[in-house]
Amino acid sequence: MEAFLKGSTASSQTKKASAPLASTSKKDNKDVQQSPKHIPWVEKYRPRTVEDVAHQDEVVAVLRKILTGSDLPNLLFYGPPGTGKTSTILAAARSLFGHDLYRSRVLELNASDERGINVIREKVKSFAQFTASNTRPDGKPCPPYKIVILDEADSMTSAAQAALRRTMEKETKTTRFCLICNYVSRIIEPITSRCAKFRFKPLAETVMSERLKHICKEEKVQIVESALETLMHVSDGDMRRAVMYLQSASRLCGQDEPVTENIIMDITGVMPDEMLDLVLKTCHSDSYEKLDLVVKQIIREGYAASQVLSQLHDRVVNMEDITDRQKSAICEKMGEVDKCLTDGADEYLQMIALFSVIMQQLCHGE
Amino acid sequence: MFPAHKLPTRVKTEAQRRKLKSALNSELWSEKYQPKNKEELAVHKKKAEEILIWLKNNITNVAKHSAPILLLTGPSGIGIPYAFYKDQSSLHEILRKYHFCGRCPLVFVLSDTSSSGSSILRLFPKHIMEELKIETISMNPVAPTMMVKVLNRIISQEAKMGSSSVPSAQVVESIAMSSGGDVRAAVNALQFACRCDTADLSKIKSLQKALKKEPSGSKKRLKYGGLSQRDSESNEQSGQTVIIGAKDTTCFLFHALGKIFYFKRADPHDAANHPSLPAHIKQHERDPLMLIPEEVVEKTQVSGDYFNTFLHQNYLEFLSTVEDVERFLEYLSDADTLSSQYTTRGDLLDYSVSVATRGFIHSDSACCHHGDSRKGYGWRPLHKSQWFSVQKQSDLSRSTAVTLFQGYHWDPEILLTELVPFIGLINPTLHDPGILISMWMRSGLERLDEKEILEGEEECSEVRVPDIEQKNEANTASALSTDTEADSGDTLPGSQTKHKCCAR
Amino acid sequence: MCVLRELYGAGVEKLRIEHNSFTTPSNKKLEIVTISSNYHIEVNPSDVGIHDRVVVQEMIKNVAQVNQLDTSSQKDFKVVVLTEVDRLSRDAQHALRRTMEKYMATCRLILVCNSTSKVIPAIRSRCLGIRVAAPSQEEIAQILHNVCKKEGLNLPSELAKRIAEKSQGNLRRAILMCEACRVQQYPFSADQQVSDPDWELFLRETATMIVQEQSPRRLLEVRGRLYELLTHCIPPDVVMRGLLQELLSNCDGVLKPEVVQSAAHFEHRLQCGQKAIYHLEAFVARFMAIYKRFLEEGIADLF
């Protein structure tokens, strides 16, 4: 107990226990088993080398050249999440500097670190101050610069970005910057013009399935082919999400049972088709009370409104028995609902509003 | 003690006490013409009498250990040294000492401008007032007729010396009115007006024109500009007198509200190019307004948001149909959304109030055109906005509830919408006065006044997962008690606070 | 809790309440109440409003830096339970996203939220999503039976079914309702009244008032009642939803789509804006206008 108290006061946090701590003895919990170290698969199967990076051919080609000795420009990686942006630059840096030099040569800053203007200036400055030699301790040659990785650069304020712009110019001799973001439009123009831009594409299904199969083999997970397809469909080109889902699914099933489509559906929160059918059927019924019940059911089942929205959208666009005009009316409402949901509006109200528009269009439109 | 204040309105009291020498060599008229006797005072006679009586009483019979203290309050001017704002307790200390051993009466002169109204309460809290038996006499602003008298006296005296040009009666009047009851400001303005070159006087001439428009002329009992609601022309004129350099008459919030609520429309034929709308939106056509809502709001010097809450509190009295109400609320809803985004708040706040006020005016379908009379809208009392008190109350109940149920994993929403109401149903009789420490929820129409007190500290540290069923058996960490005495007649605070439109 | 118990054994139930204070970059002091054991810490960061980012980061950092005492017998990570993640600001969610990965070795997060709609995709892709569906009515009825059995009560299945129906999949509510019934009347009878929380009754009355008369004066009365609800901490979105339900059950089917649309519209405004009362009132006024027009047209059709 004492030891714990010391431990907590030793941390920078100012903790005030409002009540005296109850005496606890945990020695009696010996039944707790020693478990093997669990590394999330996302970390475990992160690409280690540039060559491992899947699907991003352009970037890989450029980086390969750099690895063989040519100069590195400032980089700007952008693209949807889970396409390997961070992995790529980490792998590249690792192979450039080797394990020993990595710590002294690479500075990683991300949104969770303080990234005000001052931090950008001071931290980057002090990091870039010392010129790097062009040999490794083990004698192998290595490039004479350091790398600053700014992850999630799109969440930096534009003032901080402006400060960065000057720093980038000043430190060109010793430092290269690599900015990583989801939306290139949120990076100010002067910075994008100073960087070599690379767009990371969402992973193609073939590439993903190959990779996922590889992981399955390594982890001895059995997976049904249709489940794999669903997995790829729901993860939408996001490798990290796919791996995460796969791990969850395999945990759920245990070692011996194969991962099935339903399990994937369940953990990803995707609404099953029957539910969607029910929604549309109810919309056809022109009964407001039924609609109300359906919405309540959806919420009770715990499906997210945004998920419902995107699935419903796919359905509505492909529906054949309604006119384009009706479709556009529905889609317009969908856009509005999406915006409202993003703003934090109530799910029940938004869903019922959307469904009532659909009902209106299906039963009374045209 | 405290520096003597050169306020003409108040100097009299000090003059009586100290026989102040008037600073005759001063350039400023406001100092030159400080009142030297009771007759020259611009203060209302009764007030002056009141002060006089107080002084006489207290000078003649000063009881030992209780030196009398008088607090004089009134608008405008600078009060007490600001040092005391920071250290109020030392002021109170000094006061107590003085009260104990002082011989002569002490008079404080304090100004209470609309914004610093609370400072009096801060400097002289109630307990001090009672402890030291401090008396207060509040001064009203000087009436315009009195003001004109004072100004004319000065002019005649100046004319005797033959120093400067004599301004016309209208100018004097307008100065008196724009001063807002502040004699010092009026005298300063007068001096300025008399010293002006002819070029500057042209400004005043334009003013005179504006004045001539007023049909009532000088015969009518004068009012200060910006204070009248029914007389829109005098409003207009008040806007112009400001130019003269006199005091900027800041509108009080309720005056501004009145102006919005009792808006008037001008004759469209007077405005040269008032556009006409095409037929399909003809129902939205309105005659030009006779006021600019943005200016009215600006004069109140409150934030647009705050203004909107007052608009919202009172608008229902002024719209007659549900359709109008609906339209206005849509605008108000827009206005609120406009100003809420943190990043753009600064820029959009002004627009927000603009949307709300203009939204109100446009929504009122009873007054679309010039001369539309809005019958039945006689004088209505305006109310203070309830929103803030409601919010405060709700924050209070929320935090009390959260502290009472601290050991559990409920989030406040569930706690208050589900748990608390049901506990009210479950435990209507469980009542243990022994541990009844404080009541935490006012009861209105709902029976929501439960309380829960955690029994002793040692249990706090070991709160178990709440088990509602066990709770009833009273063997858990908590003991419930319910206060069933509902004071159901209790209405929301603030609703009864009435504020008159016409402060003066 | 059950998960944690599995992980760490009974020690996790030795809880304590702590007041932690943090300092924001703008030097504002924040206080937040956490519930923790030696193995985990539970916190609702949305309690501190816009400063939630600081809390999330500091909290996780602190927890992660304090190593587990006795690594031989325990799991080598601590657990941070964040409740109401869907109420976190965007800023905080972004901050969370990287912090999660950084301290993966020493601490794991359990995020609790009502819906994933408001959780940014970046976090969703880093988490194992477990959808916890509400229990079905049969399940609720079954649980009620179990509870009553333990309490030595006899619960008629008819009543259990009705309570389950009324609770709308909310087990907590169901148990509370059941207890309220017991206080009202015991032994239970199959047809006894299942009472709603009083604010719902209050809301129902308010809705009736709106349907009865549509005038500015009535709106003023309604406003008073809305204020009353808000002072009792009923969240405005709950009020809006409840009001919609009650109004819909009182009005003609033709009007329903329009009413629903306007409810959704003003509820969205309410979330964006600051003064909830404007939007609630606007909704009521809109309903009044719609309803009045409907009535007037109905009368016109008669002649």
Side-chain angles (χ1 to χ4, degrees):
Chain A
M1 204 63 257
E2 284 297 300
F4 179 79
L5 271 175
K6 271 179 201 154
S8 72
T9 40
S11 74
S12 60
Q13 190 180 352
T14 51
K15 275 186 186 169
K16 274 184 282 169
S18 65
L21 291 166
S23 62
T24 47
S25 59
K26 275 132 276 155
K27 302 284 182 279
D28 50 348
N29 307 327
K30 279 180 186 139
D31 51 335
V32 180
Q33 287 171 8
Q34 188 91 29
S35 63
K37 260 202 168 173
H38 267 297
I39 308 169
W41 292 357
V42 187
E43 288 298 320
K44 199 170 169 184
Y45 294 97
R46 219 182 240 286
R48 297 285 146 202
T49 64
V50 177
E51 300 295 330
D52 276 354
V53 174
H55 199 57
Q56 315 296 350
D57 303 332
E58 288 170 51
V59 190
V60 171
V62 171
L63 287 176
R64 203 181 289 142
K65 255 189 200 162
I66 291 161
L67 284 177
T68 53
S70 58
D71 196 21
L72 180 74
N74 287 326
L75 298 169
L76 173 62
F77 290 173
Y78 64 98
T83 48
K85 300 180 293 294
T86 315
S87 304
T88 307
I89 189 66
L90 288 181
R94 207 170 284 123
S95 41
L96 271 176
F97 301 118
H99 188 72
D100 302 329
L101 267 181
Y102 182 81
R103 272 182 175 274
S104 63
R105 289 291 183 88
V106 178
L107 176 69
E108 237 187 297
L109 291 172
N110 56 52
S112 56
D113 303 310
E114 259 331 300
R115 278 201 307 196
I117 304 176
N118 283 336
V119 180
I120 291 288
R121 286 205 187 115
E122 315 243 314
K123 238 186 176 171
V124 173
K125 210 172 169 187
S126 61
F127 177 75
Q129 248 170 11
F130 307 101
T131 40
S133 77
N134 58 354
T135 46
R136 288 190 198 183
D138 58 3
K140 280 187 202 162
C142 81
Y145 47 74
K146 304 178 175 192
I147 295 183
V148 176
I149 301 173
L150 290 164
D151 208 342
E152 295 151 47
D154 43 1
S155 65
M156 279 163 75
T157 60
S158 49
Q161 290 188 32
L164 181 65
R165 152 190 176 186
R166 186 82 197 102
T167 319
M168 275 172 89
E169 269 178 0
K170 269 204 313 222
E171 313 293 351
T172 30
K173 269 189 191 158
T174 53
T175 314
R176 295 293 176 274
F177 286 82
C178 178
L179 281 75
I180 299 174
C181 64
N182 292 136
Y183 306 100
V184 74
S185 54
R186 293 209 192 131
I187 304 290
I188 59 168
E189 178 74 38
I191 288 194
T192 53
S193 72
R194 282 174 176 78
C195 296
K197 284 186 279 186
F198 294 101
R199 198 182 103 83
F200 279 64
K201 295 164 282 196
L203 270 69
E205 297 214 341
T206 48
V207 182
M208 247 168 110
S209 79
E210 213 173 278
R211 194 82 196 154
L212 288 174
K213 273 179 191 158
H214 168 72
I215 294 174
C216 288
K217 215 173 101 193
E218 291 283 311
E219 296 289 332
K220 301 191 184 64
V221 176
Q222 301 164 37
I223 185 162
V224 184
E225 192 64 30
S226 67
L228 198 62
E229 258 166 46
T230 328
L231 184 59
M232 279 179 313
H233 182 70
V234 293
S235 52
D236 214 14
D238 184 340
M239 193 67 198
R240 177 173 44 214
R241 208 168 354 153
V243 175
M244 205 78 201
Y245 285 152
L246 185 62
Q247 185 174 17
S248 332
S250 73
R251 283 274 179 83
L252 211 63
C253 299
Q255 287 289 324
D256 309 319
E257 289 168 59
V259 175
T260 60
E261 204 180 331
N262 283 346
I263 289 170
I264 298 280
M265 291 281 240
D266 201 45
I267 56 165
T268 49
V270 173
M271 260 199 343
D273 280 350
E274 299 85 64
M275 197 79 182
L276 270 181
D277 289 337
L278 180 67
V279 169
L280 289 173
K281 211 180 104 197
T282 323
C283 287
H284 273 292
S285 74
D286 200 15
S287 152
Y288 183 81
E289 286 70 26
K290 282 184 192 161
L291 210 57
D292 179 56
L293 287 178
V294 167
V295 175
K296 279 186 182 147
Q297 193 186 342
I298 290 175
I299 286 174
R300 216 150 51 198
E301 294 286 324
Y303 295 113
S306 50
Q307 181 68 39
V308 176
L309 190 66
S310 70
Q311 281 184 271
L312 205 58
H313 178 256
D314 289 347
R315 273 294 189 88
V316 167
V317 169
N318 294 322
M319 258 156 100
E320 278 166 5
D321 50 348
I322 58 172
T323 63
D324 284 355
R325 188 184 288 269
Q326 283 171 309
K327 279 183 191 172
S328 72
I330 293 173
C331 289
E332 192 184 340
K333 182 66 193 173
M334 281 179 166
E336 196 190 316
V337 166
D338 188 45
K339 155 79 177 141
C340 291
L341 286 174
T342 326
D343 284 345
D346 186 81
E347 294 201 330
Y348 169 79
L349 289 175
Q350 292 301 330
M351 272 204 270
I352 197 126
L354 171 64
F355 291 171
S356 74
V357 166
I358 297 177
M359 188 164 89
Q360 201 76 3
Q361 289 298 331
L362 291 181
C363 305
H364 305 286
E366 302 297 302
Chain B
M1 219 182 299
F2 297 100
H5 294 285
K6 307 256 158 54
L7 266 179
T9 41
R10 297 178 195 130
V11 149
K12 185 199 162 209
T13 53
E14 301 193 335
Q16 271 187 337
R17 204 150 45 83
R18 289 195 190 177
K19 297 251 169 192
L20 259 182
K21 288 175 190 169
S22 55
L24 273 167
N25 50 353
S26 160
E27 278 292 325
L28 279 175
W29 288 4
S30 56
E31 294 192 10
K32 196 170 165 185
Y33 292 101
Q34 271 178 10
K36 290 171 203 71
N37 54 45
K38 218 165 84 181
E39 278 64 43
E40 284 185 23
L41 264 179
V43 184
H44 198 276
K45 271 192 193 109
K46 272 186 188 156
K47 279 278 173 212
E49 205 67 22
E50 199 180 327
I51 297 165
L52 199 66
I53 287 167
W54 186 87
L55 279 170
K56 273 182 184 158
N57 282 345
N58 285 295
I59 287 169
T60 46
N61 43 24
V62 179
K64 222 182 176 187
H65 301 323
S66 59
I69 301 172
L70 175 70
L71 202 56
L72 270 183
T73 61
S76 178
I78 326 135
I80 256 157
Y82 277 94
F84 282 117
Y85 275 100
K86 287 196 181 123
D87 194 4
Q88 293 147 29
S89 54
S90 75
L91 171 70
H92 297 157
E93 214 33 61
I94 292 171
L95 279 177
R96 279 200 191 95
K97 253 187 218 160
Y98 184 82
H99 184 68
F100 193 71
C101 56
R103 285 292 156 113
C104 57
L106 174 66
V107 180
F108 280 97
V109 182
L110 265 189
S111 64
D112 62 341
T113 49
S114 53
S115 56
S116 67
S118 59
S119 70
I120 293 174
L121 280 177
R122 257 197 14 232
L123 281 173
F124 298 97
K126 260 219 166 105
H127 62 273
I128 289 284
M129 299 281 269
E130 277 163 16
E131 186 189 330
L132 306 179
K133 299 193 189 66
I134 300 175
E135 282 187 56
T136 335
I137 296 177
S138 69
M139 309 288 286
N140 295 332
V142 179
T145 33
M146 287 284 252
M147 185 83 80
V148 173
K149 237 183 248 174
V150 172
L151 294 180
N152 281 334
R153 181 172 56 85
I154 294 173
I155 290 166
S156 64
Q157 281 186 16
E158 278 294 311
K160 267 181 226 161
M161 293 196 256
S163 56
S164 54
S165 59
V166 179
S168 68
Q170 276 105 337
V171 174
V172 174
E173 237 171 56
S174 73
I175 288 172
M177 276 188 290
S178 62
S179 68
D182 184 337
V183 184
R184 180 173 39 194
V187 174
N188 282 337
L190 182 71
Q191 187 177 14
F192 173 73
C194 294
R195 291 280 159 86
C196 276
D197 297 326
T198 39
D200 285 331
L201 274 173
S202 65
K203 264 187 199 164
I204 297 167
K205 284 218 179 94
S206 75
L207 241 169
Q208 288 169 1
K209 261 186 223 158
L211 272 169
K212 269 174 204 152
K213 266 167 90 181
E214 192 168 38
S216 45
S218 56
K219 285 285 169 199
K220 195 185 161 191
R221 207 178 146 253
L222 291 172
K223 281 183 200 155
Y224 288 123
L227 304 187
S228 137
Q229 279 141 27
R230 291 177 196 86
D231 198 342
S232 63
E233 264 172 273
S234 78
N235 288 347
E236 224 170 78
Q237 162 224 333
S238 83
Q240 279 166 306
T241 37
V242 174
I243 305 167
I244 248 183
K247 211 176 159 184
D248 184 4
T249 48
T250 48
C251 256
F252 289 102
L253 183 55
F254 285 99
H255 301 145
L257 278 173
K259 279 191 191 176
I260 301 286
F261 284 136
Y262 297 96
F263 69 95
K264 281 219 168 121
R265 293 192 182 278
D267 194 348
H269 305 293
D270 289 355
N273 41 20
H274 183 62
S276 182
L277 293 178
H280 67 286
I281 44 173
K282 197 75 181 169
Q283 76 269 25
H284 293 302
E285 187 168 293
R286 302 282 189 272
D287 285 347
L289 272 180
M290 288 181 64
L291 81 167
I292 300 165
E294 290 78 18
E295 275 182 11
V296 173
V297 175
E298 202 193 325
K299 276 190 187 158
T300 62
Q301 295 174 345
V302 299
S303 79
D305 241 15
Y306 192 66
F307 192 86
N308 282 354
T309 59
F310 279 77
L311 204 62
H312 165 255
Q313 181 67 36
N314 294 297
Y315 77 96
L316 275 174
E317 302 267 356
F318 298 91
L319 294 178
S320 49
T321 69
V322 173
E323 286 74 22
D324 290 353
V325 169
E326 183 210 347
R327 253 202 318 273
F328 167 63
L329 278 171
E330 174 84 57
Y331 285 121
L332 194 62
S333 171
D334 284 340
D336 185 43
T337 327
L338 263 184
S339 64
S340 60
Q341 271 286 316
Y342 180 70
T343 41
T344 50
R345 193 177 155 78
D347 301 326
L348 289 176
L349 204 57
D350 292 343
Y351 293 104
S352 147
V353 74
S354 196
V355 167
T357 49
R358 285 183 184 272
F360 170 78
I361 291 168
H362 189 267
S363 302
D364 190 358
S365 58
C367 186
C368 300
H369 301 289
H370 175 64
D372 278 357
S373 63
R374 311 164 83 219
K375 286 220 178 78
Y377 295 140
W379 182 81
R380 301 262 170 105
L382 295 177
H383 299 278
K384 206 177 139 191
S385 174
Q386 267 172 281
W387 170 254
F388 296 103
S389 64
V390 166
Q391 209 169 30
K392 218 162 128 195
Q393 187 71 37
S394 124
D395 284 352
L396 188 73
S397 355
R398 176 187 300 253
S399 62
T400 327
V402 170
T403 13
L404 284 172
F405 289 82
Q406 209 175 49
Y408 303 106
H409 295 253
W410 310 119
D411 68 65
E413 184 181 324
I414 293 172
L415 188 66
L416 283 152
T417 53
E418 292 179 21
L419 206 59
V420 173
F422 274 114
I423 287 173
L425 293 173
I426 292 164
N427 280 305
T429 48
L430 186 61
H431 196 102
D432 189 351
I435 45 165
L436 201 146
I437 299 167
S438 67
M439 219 184 94
W440 66 275
M441 244 187 176
R442 274 170 11 100
S443 158
L445 292 143
E446 298 170 74
R447 289 168 295 151
L448 273 179
D449 42 357
E450 296 35 273
K451 62 196 225 67
E452 217 215 52
I453 298 135
L454 295 174
E455 205 182 49
E457 292 230 345
E458 65 277 6
E459 258 100 350
C460 287
S461 60
E462 269 196 68
V463 179
R464 278 163 222 284
V465 187
D467 185 340
I468 298 139
E469 292 301 319
Q470 270 182 19
K471 220 184 269 168
N472 231 8
E473 309 304 313
N475 54 8
T476 44
S478 58
L480 285 157
S481 60
T482 320
D483 201 332
T484 41
E485 298 143 296
D487 44 341
S488 48
D490 220 348
T491 45
L492 287 160
S495 60
Q496 298 305 312
T497 334
K498 278 178 191 168
H499 288 256
K500 285 190 174 180
C501 293
C502 313
R504 290 164 207 165
Chain C
M1 280 314 284
C2 295
V3 174
L4 292 173
R5 202 193 155 100
E6 286 282 302
L7 275 175
Y8 299 112
V12 82
E13 286 186 17
K14 303 281 184 204
L15 297 176
R16 60 182 174 275
I17 303 159
E18 288 179 0
H19 292 264
N20 289 352
S21 57
F22 299 95
T23 317
T24 60
S26 53
N27 266 335
K28 200 179 166 232
K29 282 258 180 204
L30 298 175
E31 276 242 332
I32 191 161
V33 180
T34 62
I35 300 166
S36 59
S37 71
N38 288 353
Y39 310 100
H40 87 291
I41 185 162
E42 180 179 330
V43 63
N44 184 348
S46 57
D47 284 351
V48 287
I50 55 162
H51 299 294
D52 48 4
R53 187 181 66 90
V54 187
V55 171
V56 168
Q57 282 180 353
E58 292 296 311
M59 182 76 69
I60 295 172
K61 231 181 252 174
N62 286 331
V63 173
Q65 277 161 5
V66 182
N67 283 327
Q68 205 60 266
L69 292 176
D70 191 4
T71 36
S72 59
S73 70
Q74 313 296 342
K75 303 270 188 250
D76 48 3
F77 52 82
K78 280 187 142 197
V79 172
V80 176
V81 182
L82 296 177
T83 53
E84 294 195 54
V85 189
D86 40 356
R87 295 201 177 198
L88 277 182
S89 66
R90 280 292 134 98
D91 212 17
Q93 293 195 20
H94 275 291
L96 188 60
R97 130 191 190 191
R98 194 55 197 165
T99 317
M100 274 165 83
E101 285 186 345
K102 215 161 145 187
Y103 298 108
M104 189 75 100
T106 50
C107 97
R108 298 290 150 84
L109 294 165
I110 299 180
L111 310 177
V112 183
C113 60
N114 286 342
S115 162
T116 54
S117 289
K118 290 169 200 171
V119 181
I120 58 168
I123 289 191
R124 265 186 273 163
S125 87
R126 282 170 174 80
C127 291
L128 195 161
I130 300 176
R131 183 169 57 83
V132 184
S136 69
Q137 291 188 4
E138 292 75 38
E139 283 167 328
I140 287 181
Q142 190 53 49
I143 290 168
L144 286 179
H145 277 300
N146 291 346
V147 167
C148 287
K149 216 186 214 167
K150 274 187 194 155
E151 290 289 316
L153 303 172
N154 183 21
L155 182 73
S157 54
E158 187 66 16
L159 183 64
K161 212 175 139 197
R162 279 201 302 130
I163 293 176
E165 234 168 75
K166 258 201 149 163
S167 69
Q168 299 186 350
N170 185 337
L171 186 56
R172 171 177 43 235
R173 244 185 114 144
I175 295 177
L176 281 167
M177 277 175 171
C178 183
E179 200 181 342
C181 285
R182 196 200 82 125
V183 174
Q184 269 174 0
Q185 186 187 346
Y186 188 78
F188 294 122
S189 66
D191 56 345
Q192 88 176 80
Q193 192 202 342
V194 181
S195 46
D196 287 324
D198 31 19
W199 64 267
E200 285 189 1
L201 297 175
F202 189 73
L203 203 61
R204 200 162 300 154
E205 283 167 33
T206 314
T208 322
M209 281 172 65
I210 298 170
V211 178
Q212 273 166 2
E213 186 188 324
Q214 295 81 38
S215 70
R217 182 183 307 278
R218 183 46 65 93
L219 185 58
L220 194 63
E221 289 167 34
V222 170
R223 181 203 287 170
R225 294 176 78 92
L226 291 177
Y227 271 145
E228 188 79 26
L229 283 166
L230 293 180
T231 28
H232 286 95
C233 303
I234 311 297
D237 50 332
V238 175
V239 174
M240 180 77 94
R241 215 161 43 218
L243 212 51
L244 174 72
Q245 295 273 290
E246 299 302 335
L247 288 175
L248 284 178
S249 61
N250 275 325
C251 78
D252 194 273
V254 218
L255 301 179
K256 281 175 182 171
E258 203 181 344
V259 175
V260 167
Q261 295 302 330
S262 65
H265 171 75
F266 285 115
E267 202 273 336
H268 172 228
R269 290 298 185 77
L270 188 149
Q271 295 293 343
C272 296
Q274 292 175 308
K275 313 250 178 334
I277 189 72
Y278 294 172
H279 311 286
L280 285 175
E281 208 173 305
F283 169 61
V284 174
R286 173 68 58 83
F287 178 82
M288 280 182 170
I290 294 171
Y291 195 73
K292 195 175 160 210
R293 206 183 318 130
F294 172 72
L295 288 183
E296 279 166 0
E297 279 166 10
I299 291 167
D301 285 346
L302 281 179
F303 298 107

